């Protein structure tokens, strides 16, 4: 690792053979759908008046989050994205997204 972020217990070292200790990023496992507690909301703030559907609260890997987003986008027939652990679906699809999540055994409100 050549980046300086994540170094622990070091202020400065003049020893050329010194090996830095790095914080370990733990691999987060994805909870099964029955144990997920997702929140579905509509939002139009900071979006030029356009409404989007937000899905928060997913606990798991980034890959699984992207797979869920892809499923929702395909079922709704619209675009969207994944940012900062949040799924953004373009348009007001709260009821449809809740139905899709419940059909796939996710706990959502």
């Amino acid at each position: 690792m050549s980046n300086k972020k994540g170094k622990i217990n070091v202020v400065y070292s003049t020893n050329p053979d010194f090996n830095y200790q790095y914080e370990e990023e733990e691999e987060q496992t994805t909870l099964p759908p029955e144990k997920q507690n997702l929140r579905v909301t509509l939002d139009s703030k900071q979006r030029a008046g356009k409404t989007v559907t937000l899905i928060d609260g997913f606990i798991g890997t980034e890959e699984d989050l992207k797979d869920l987003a892809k499923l929702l986008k395909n079922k709704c027939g619209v675009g969207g994205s994944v940012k900062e652990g949040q799924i953004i679906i373009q348009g007001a699809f709260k009821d449809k997204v809740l139905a899709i999540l419940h059909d796939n055994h996710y706990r959502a409100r």
Side-chain angles (χ1 to χ4, degrees):
M1 264 186 153
S2 62
N3 68 354
K4 295 179 183 176
K5 292 184 178 184
K7 291 181 185 176
I8 56 175
N9 301 327
V10 173
V11 176
Y12 182 73
S13 176
T14 57
N15 183 355
D17 297 325
F18 185 79
N19 290 325
Y20 291 106
Q21 294 177 349
Y22 293 95
E23 292 177 349
E24 304 254 343
E25 291 183 23
E26 56 185 69
E27 183 68 29
Q28 189 173 13
T29 58
T30 302
L31 291 178
E34 299 82 19
K35 297 193 180 199
Q36 296 281 355
N37 193 12
L38 303 177
R39 290 175 306 284
V40 180
T41 57
L42 294 178
D43 184 35
S44 62
K45 296 178 183 170
Q46 306 279 330
R47 301 180 196 282
K50 298 188 188 223
T51 303
V52 296
T53 305
L54 302 176
I55 298 96
D56 288 321
F58 185 84
I59 299 172
T61 62
E62 188 74 22
E63 185 69 30
D64 291 335
L65 181 64
K66 288 180 181 179
D67 289 342
L68 178 59
K70 184 175 180 180
L71 170 76
L72 293 172
K73 291 188 298 184
N74 284 338
K75 294 280 186 174
C76 292
V78 295
S81 64
V82 175
K83 292 183 182 172
E84 300 168 4
Q86 187 177 55
I87 300 173
I88 302 168
I89 304 292
Q90 295 174 354
F93 291 98
K94 183 176 180 180
D95 295 332
K96 191 169 186 177
V97 167
L98 280 171
I100 294 166
L101 290 173
H102 288 294
D103 289 345
N104 288 299
H105 307 292
Y106 283 93
R107 287 177 37 201
R109 54 185 164 95

